[in-house]
Amino acid sequence: MTRTLPSDLGEPRAQPADVLPAPSAPGPARRSPLSRVRDAIFRYGLLILLAALVVAFAVTQPAFFTAFNLLSILLSVAVVAIVALGVTVSMSVDGFDLSVGSNVSLTVMVTSASLVYWGLGPVVSPLLGLAVATAVGLINGLLIVVARVPDMIATLGTMFVFAGASLLITAGQSVANGSGYQGAKPGGAFTDAFTWIGQGDVAGVPVPVLVLVVVTAAVIVFLARTRSGRLLRAVGGNREAARLAGARVGRLRVLAYVVSGFLAGLGGVLLTARLGRGDVNVGADYLLQAVSATLIGFAVLGANRPNPFGTVVGAVFVGVVLNGLTMLNAPYYAQDFVQGLLLVGALIVSFSALFNRRAHR
């Protein structure tokens, strides 16, 4: 096939079509500076803000940026972060475990009663507390998968059930050395071997902080490197597609809640050892704190999904802010207000940036 083109003399000249210049393929769309700034804020904004807060507190309060205070911050958030990692796992399957606070309380009371009332010793008592907490996670999973109760409704119900159970175990009383069930003689006590896991240290690093490091690494490896962990994330991304691909969706969802229950129990055991007593409803505040850390973590490195590294950063972020405000003599009753503001701000940054990125694709 030929095509005629005008010659220099004004006459048509034949030229093969295949020597005509081919239309150039469109290159990648150039991103505007505004979109680059938006993406940078989305990915690194929380980390930059955290670094800025550390610098600001260190300048205004020299005692803030000391090894002792930084370890104190990590110690203060260790239990919250461990519980939040459990919430992260439950969210990875598009679930939501609202019972973690009550599970912490139940673990604290079971462990304390085992030590003081029943004298089961510093080994059996925490293992019993972990077993009960894991059973709570299993019950949640079965309610959701077998009874087909929606996640939030099921865990909202068990939140009240297990909060009440934690009171029934000790007749609504706190447990301390020398106390017995309804005036009976105690069968044991909080031992130094047990309280060491909450109050001791290794080479100057508090034991709960070391436990947090190990648990964080384990959850990261589990979700990113193991087949079960990848399947959990696949279920959270698209449950039906995961089912069609052969994943046992029901079992995986139950597994997520079992892991969440176990980690809430581990946080409860550490909290019991740190306090050296069992206070009623001590875990009530851990639901808000754990959920806050998990959701704030959505904004870390632009993940916009449950991720263990972001969860720990979120917990540390809240801990840094509260510690700095305490050093600045801010009133203690403003802490919940500040946590709420941080949570809302992180969600705005995370989800509005994600929406804008999708809108500009």
Side-chain angles (χ1 to χ4, degrees):
M1 180 178 178
T2 61
R3 181 176 176 182
T4 58
L5 294 175
S7 66
D8 294 337
L9 299 176
E11 297 177 357
R13 181 174 61 189
Q15 180 170 330
D18 56 0
V19 302
L20 292 176
S24 59
R30 297 186 63 183
R31 299 170 60 199
S32 67
L34 181 61
S35 66
R36 293 196 191 99
V37 172
R38 185 188 303 117
D39 286 349
I41 292 174
F42 180 60
R43 289 184 61 83
Y44 307 111
L46 190 68
L47 294 176
I48 294 172
L49 180 58
L50 176 59
L53 285 172
V54 170
V55 172
F57 288 138
V59 170
T60 56
Q61 298 291 327
F64 177 85
F65 200 70
T66 61
F68 175 80
N69 190 59
L70 294 179
L71 286 175
S72 296
I73 293 173
L74 292 177
L75 177 60
S76 69
V77 303
V79 173
V80 172
I82 290 171
V83 176
L85 287 170
V87 175
T88 301
V89 175
S90 69
M91 283 188 175
S92 69
V93 293
D94 197 26
F96 205 145
D97 191 352
L98 290 175
S99 68
V100 290
S102 296
N103 203 352
V104 170
S105 293
L106 181 61
T107 305
V108 168
M109 302 315 290
V110 168
T111 305
S112 301
S114 300
L115 283 164
V116 178
Y117 290 173
W118 310 322
L120 298 182
V123 175
V124 175
S125 296
L127 291 178
L128 181 60
L130 285 173
V132 170
T134 305
V136 169
L138 177 62
I139 292 170
N140 285 334
L142 294 177
L143 281 174
I144 293 164
V145 174
V146 178
R148 299 183 182 276
V149 181
D151 300 65
M152 293 190 68
I153 296 176
T155 56
L156 179 65
T158 56
M159 177 181 74
F160 291 106
V161 169
F162 296 120
S166 67
L167 297 176
L168 289 175
I169 292 172
T170 63
Q173 301 297 313
S174 295
V175 180
N177 282 337
S179 63
Y181 183 76
Q182 293 186 331
K185 183 179 179 180
F190 286 94
T191 64
D192 292 339
F194 174 74
T195 57
W196 178 84
I197 64 176
Q199 302 173 11
D201 63 82
V202 176
V205 181
V207 173
V209 175
L210 296 175
V211 174
L212 171 60
V213 172
V214 172
V215 171
T216 302
V219 174
I220 290 174
V221 171
F222 172 67
L223 289 178
R225 300 296 181 183
T226 67
R227 182 174 183 272
S228 295
R230 290 193 294 267
L231 288 174
L232 287 177
R233 296 172 65 182
V235 170
N238 190 319
R239 189 178 303 170
E240 184 60 20
R243 185 186 68 80
L244 294 175
R248 298 191 175 187
V249 174
R251 293 187 180 182
L252 289 167
R253 295 175 71 195
V254 172
L255 173 63
Y257 282 95
V258 168
V259 173
S260 178
F262 173 81
L263 291 179
L266 180 58
V269 169
L270 290 174
L271 182 60
T272 308
R274 184 180 173 191
L275 296 176
R277 57 182 288 119
D279 290 327
V280 294
N281 290 328
V282 70
D285 293 336
Y286 282 84
L287 172 60
L288 172 62
Q289 296 176 25
V291 171
S292 297
T294 304
L295 294 179
I296 289 173
F298 275 45
V300 175
L301 297 179
N304 199 59
R305 67 171 189 263
N307 66 100
F309 174 73
T311 295
V312 175
V313 172
V316 172
F317 182 78
V318 174
V320 166
V321 172
L322 297 182
N323 181 272
L325 292 177
T326 301
M327 284 192 165
L328 293 173
N329 295 320
Y332 72 92
Y333 48 79
Q335 291 188 2
D336 287 346
F337 177 75
V338 171
Q339 288 187 66
L341 285 180
L342 294 175
L343 174 59
V344 172
L347 293 178
I348 290 174
V349 170
S350 179
F351 289 100
S352 65
L354 176 67
F355 175 80
N356 289 331
R357 289 176 67 188
R358 289 176 174 172
H360 286 81
R361 283 179 180 175

